Amino acid sequence: MLLPVVEIAAEAYHAVWRFRRVLADRAAVPLALVLMAGIVEHLLTGSATVAPPPGLEDDPAGTGNGNGGGGPGIIGIAYFLASLPFLVSWYRFIIDGPLGLEGRPLFTFGRLEGRFLLWAVVLALVVAAPMIVAGAVAIPFASGNISAHQLPVLPLLLAVFFFILLILASLRLSLIFPAVAVEEPASFARAWEMSKGNSLRMLALAAAVHLPALFFGGILQLMVIGFGLPFSVLLFTDLAISFTIMALGATMFAEAYKRLR
């Protein structure tokens, strides 16, 4: 089956708006925990930024899934861990409806979150090693540290092509996450087979879902920064945008999974 790109992208935005109350309920505790972690880190170090969880929903290829570019630290770890219960709950809600949330607390960290974490780490490792190799070739050349005389254009083009292939592969393999969330058979082999023939469609879908949200989210952040508001308000805005984009990405994968399983 070929995925309907426009239909799924529209459904992702529609679902986030239609179920905004569920989104707010499920994101409230994780967001509050990350906000507190960010404030603590800011008080201790004078800086704190949000880093999207690698390999999760919005950006499985590390296409982010979040809105911000921080590195590891208190807030990065808190964001990664707090996002897992949120994502599991949101996947279950989108795929199974309200029944998928029956018996699930607003915030929990149990077996499903543990499996989610395990697969996220495995996917990150699978994607990271080849990307490091490709980046080792492409980044120095792109930054001007290596001249065109030292490195032919062909290796650079091959590295870029390799990057694209890895992004396509990570998008296809990320169908494992909705399978884990709804407790259905989960393996990279199954995710790969399910998404056969949809690599470019999933790339187009990820772009259609994330790029507009990142663009308008960036504008909102700039507006908030322009008002000169306290750090806590700036971080709250960043996190609210981030969890919304995370929900959009998870809805995208959930809708694709429902059609392909």
Side-chain angles (χ1 to χ4, degrees):
M1 175 185 177
L2 296 179
L3 293 173
V5 174
V6 175
E7 180 181 333
I8 294 178
E11 180 57 29
Y13 278 94
H14 187 209
V16 167
W17 173 252
R18 185 168 72 248
F19 303 121
R20 58 191 181 277
R21 178 62 182 272
V22 178
L23 172 59
D25 288 343
R26 291 290 157 173
V29 176
L31 190 152
L33 292 174
V34 182
L35 180 63
M36 287 189 291
I39 293 173
V40 169
E41 183 172 5
H42 179 69
L43 293 175
L44 294 176
T45 67
S47 65
T49 53
V50 177
L56 296 186
E57 298 354 76
D58 46 238
D59 190 351
T63 63
N65 316 275
N67 188 44
I74 297 175
I75 190 172
I77 295 171
Y79 183 86
F80 179 82
L81 295 177
S83 68
L84 299 178
F86 169 74
L87 285 169
V88 171
S89 293
W90 189 254
Y91 272 129
R92 292 176 68 89
F93 177 73
I94 295 298
I95 294 174
D96 294 334
L99 290 176
L101 298 180
E102 283 191 357
R104 277 189 65 82
L106 290 179
F107 186 84
T108 182
F109 205 104
R111 179 179 57 85
L112 287 180
E113 288 74 23
R115 290 190 64 202
F116 212 92
L117 172 61
L118 175 63
W119 282 110
V121 171
V122 172
L123 179 57
L125 292 175
V126 167
V127 174
M131 279 196 168
I132 290 173
V133 174
V137 175
I139 293 175
F141 182 77
S143 64
N145 293 332
I146 298 178
S147 68
H149 298 293
Q150 294 173 300
L151 180 67
V153 175
L154 182 57
L156 177 62
L157 294 178
L158 289 176
V160 173
F161 179 69
F162 196 31
F163 261 121
I164 295 173
L165 288 181
L166 287 170
I167 291 173
L168 293 175
S170 65
L171 286 169
R172 291 181 60 177
L173 294 176
S174 289
L175 287 181
I176 197 169
F177 295 115
V180 169
V182 296
E183 302 181 80
E184 294 183 353
S187 69
F188 283 147
R190 181 171 181 257
W192 190 263
E193 182 61 28
M194 286 174 59
S195 56
K196 185 176 181 180
N198 282 292
S199 298
L200 293 178
R201 287 176 176 267
M202 292 187 72
L203 180 62
L205 182 56
V209 168
H210 291 100
L211 292 182
L214 288 169
F215 176 76
F216 288 107
I219 292 177
L220 178 58
Q221 283 181 313
L222 290 175
M223 291 174 61
V224 173
I225 292 173
F227 289 133
L229 298 174
F231 170 80
S232 58
V233 178
L234 298 179
L235 182 58
F236 174 83
T237 304
D238 188 28
L239 289 171
I241 295 170
S242 181
F243 273 91
T244 301
I245 294 176
M246 196 189 306
L248 284 169
T251 305
M252 174 194 80
F253 282 112
E255 290 294 335
Y257 180 79
K258 285 198 296 185
R259 286 166 169 79
L260 296 174
R261 65 177 172 175

